[in-house]
Amino acid sequence: MANLSDLPDSARHTFVQGDICDRPLVDQLLREHAIDTIAHFAAESHVDRSITGPAAFVQTNLVGTFTLLEAARLAWLDGKKSESRRFHHISTDEVYGTLTRDDAPFLETTPYAPNSPYSASKAGSDHLVRAYFHTYGLPVVTTNCSNNYGPYHFPEKLIPLMIVNALAGKPLPVYGDGMQVRDWLYVKDHAAAIRAVLAQGRPGETYNVGGWNERPNIEIVRSICALLDEMRPDAAGSYTRLITHVTDRPGHDRRYAI
């Protein structure tokens, strides 16, 4: 809740802690608050956890999306005009699979080829969203974004994990040779893109959101070490001493670009 303490005009916001798979709760919120726009961010998103425990990803990403779609369909498509309503589904570039070093970036028309339980569950949710537009006319849009970073980033992800581990003097685990390339997108740029698509996007369309900022993972880790060396110098020496190469994870995509 502390993350929300500086919201302007707090009277305009209501915080509800719940589960998107809880259909009665979702129905109640749509009805009581006369909600006309859903920005669907909710997802299990950590690939490592999807490998060791895929069930939660299927439940949240597929069943949860289905629950929201069904609730919106019944609340919005009841003979009323739906032009003022919008279901915005936030997805990921990982649904497109992997690229080689010389491949062109992903486009909205790139065939789906997910390689992890996480990306497969997100691909499935994308297909459900598309189906609800074509079958029921639900006013949906989808955005597929690249790797986000920025304030409040959950500490299981690469950038915050490296910062937290380094400051604690713990190893900085890097998969394989560390040359997996990601297209890093600052979170406020992503938020601006979502606002633009909500305002101007055409129902049924998909929009890719990239950062034009491709970097190998090992370069990201070394950059973090260099910044910490400058801002929080350690008497034991450069934080790069903590970089530890570990066995690559199964099905690890080599490169994303969008």
Side-chain angles (χ1 to χ4, degrees):
M1 292 300 293
N3 292 343
L4 308 177
S5 62
D6 61 349
L7 282 174
D9 192 3
S10 59
R12 297 181 60 226
H13 304 89
T14 301
F15 176 81
V16 178
Q17 182 171 338
D19 187 336
I20 59 169
C21 297
D22 184 346
R23 178 63 186 278
L25 174 62
V26 174
D27 286 340
Q28 175 189 342
L29 293 173
L30 284 172
R31 182 177 62 254
E32 288 186 358
H33 296 275
I35 289 170
D36 60 14
T37 302
I38 296 173
H40 174 29
F41 287 90
E44 300 286 348
S45 65
H46 195 45
V47 175
D48 287 2
R49 283 194 292 105
S50 83
I51 293 171
T52 58
F57 289 73
V58 173
Q59 181 67 17
T60 299
N61 299 352
L62 272 171
V63 178
T65 299
F66 167 72
T67 303
L68 291 180
L69 287 167
E70 271 289 274
R73 176 175 75 88
L74 295 178
W76 295 349
L77 303 183
D78 54 1
K80 303 174 185 176
K81 291 185 177 181
S82 62
E83 289 83 354
S84 62
R85 296 171 169 84
R86 184 60 56 91
F87 187 108
H88 186 140
H89 175 60
I90 290 90
S91 190
T92 171
D93 56 359
E94 297 193 37
V95 299
Y96 299 122
T98 188
L99 297 169
T100 68
R101 184 183 62 181
D102 299 321
D103 284 338
F106 299 130
L107 302 174
E108 288 85 352
T109 53
T110 299
Y112 276 35
N115 291 319
S116 71
Y118 160 62
S119 56
S121 67
K122 289 298 288 185
S125 67
D126 292 6
H127 293 326
L128 279 174
V129 172
R130 172 187 169 88
Y132 269 67
F133 172 75
H134 286 281
T135 301
Y136 303 112
L138 192 71
V140 305
V141 287
T142 295
T143 48
N144 295 78
C145 71
S146 55
N147 281 42
N148 281 214
Y149 71 100
Y152 308 112
H153 203 175
F154 197 68
E156 69 184 358
K157 301 303 181 75
L158 177 67
I159 290 177
L161 177 66
M162 294 300 116
I163 296 170
V164 170
N165 277 17
L167 293 175
K170 296 180 179 179
L172 308 181
V174 175
Y175 281 126
D177 61 4
M179 292 305 293
Q180 304 88 358
V181 173
R182 301 294 180 259
D183 181 5
W184 291 95
L185 174 66
Y186 187 57
V187 65
K188 289 188 176 182
D189 293 331
H190 186 200
I194 288 170
R195 288 180 64 91
V197 172
L198 275 172
Q200 303 172 45
R202 294 199 307 271
E205 288 291 334
T206 293
Y207 300 90
N208 283 353
V209 184
W212 287 354
N213 190 33
E214 292 183 58
R215 297 288 187 276
N217 286 344
I218 189 64
E219 181 180 315
I220 294 292
V221 175
R222 287 171 178 157
S223 295
I224 290 170
C225 290
L227 287 167
L228 290 175
D229 286 342
E230 177 183 342
M231 300 169 70
R232 294 281 296 273
D234 187 342
S238 173
Y239 291 99
T240 56
R241 75 186 190 281
L242 300 173
I243 294 175
T244 305
H245 290 268
V246 298
T247 302
D248 209 353
R249 71 183 177 208
H252 200 176
D253 293 330
R254 193 64 173 172
R255 173 177 169 245
Y256 304 140
I258 198 166

